[in-house]
Amino acid sequence: MNPNQAKLLKEVMAADFTLIDLNLYLNTHPYDQNTIMLFYNCAQRARMLRNEYERLYGPLTAQSTPYKCPWQWINSPWPWE
């Protein structure tokens, strides 16, 4: 994995972690409008980072593998390789 790929993958993981953390907070504070807005802004950023990573380096999950035959997920290096 090249340094740019590793950096972008870390950004994706950090964005996903932020979403999980905000989701847990919102489970106990469902009326916090500021956090709801922050959650949706962070979700948009996480989608953008994930799309950028997948555009450059391939799918991060089997769900984002192109729907083609033969099955493409197994052919590329997996994100942790």
Side-chain angles (χ1 to χ4, degrees), residues 48-69:
M48 184 217 43
L49 289 168
R50 183 175 301 281
N51 289 341
E52 179 71 7
Y53 183 93
E54 290 178 345
R55 184 182 66 75
L56 293 171
Y57 305 111
L60 284 167
T61 64
Q63 291 87 350
S64 46
T65 300
Y67 297 109
K68 297 192 296 189
C69 188

Side-chain angles (χ1 to χ4, degrees), residues 3-50:
N4 292 331
Q5 182 180 3
K7 180 179 183 246
L8 186 53
L9 183 57
K10 285 180 184 180
E11 288 182 45
V12 170
M13 292 187 312
D16 286 346
F17 179 83
T18 301
L19 286 174
I20 292 168
D21 201 39
L22 289 170
N23 187 95
L24 290 172
Y25 175 83
L26 286 168
N27 287 343
T28 58
H29 301 81
Y31 298 102
D32 186 335
Q33 291 181 1
N34 290 331
T35 303
I36 292 169
M37 191 167 51
L38 179 61
F39 177 87
Y40 284 107
N41 288 338
C42 288
Q44 184 177 6
R45 175 170 164 67
R47 272 191 304 277
M48 184 217 43
L49 289 168
R50 183 175 301 281

Side-chain angles (χ1 to χ4, degrees), residues 65 71-78:
T65 300
W71 182 240
Q72 302 292 308
W73 174 249
I74 197 72
N75 295 332
S76 300
W78 292 358

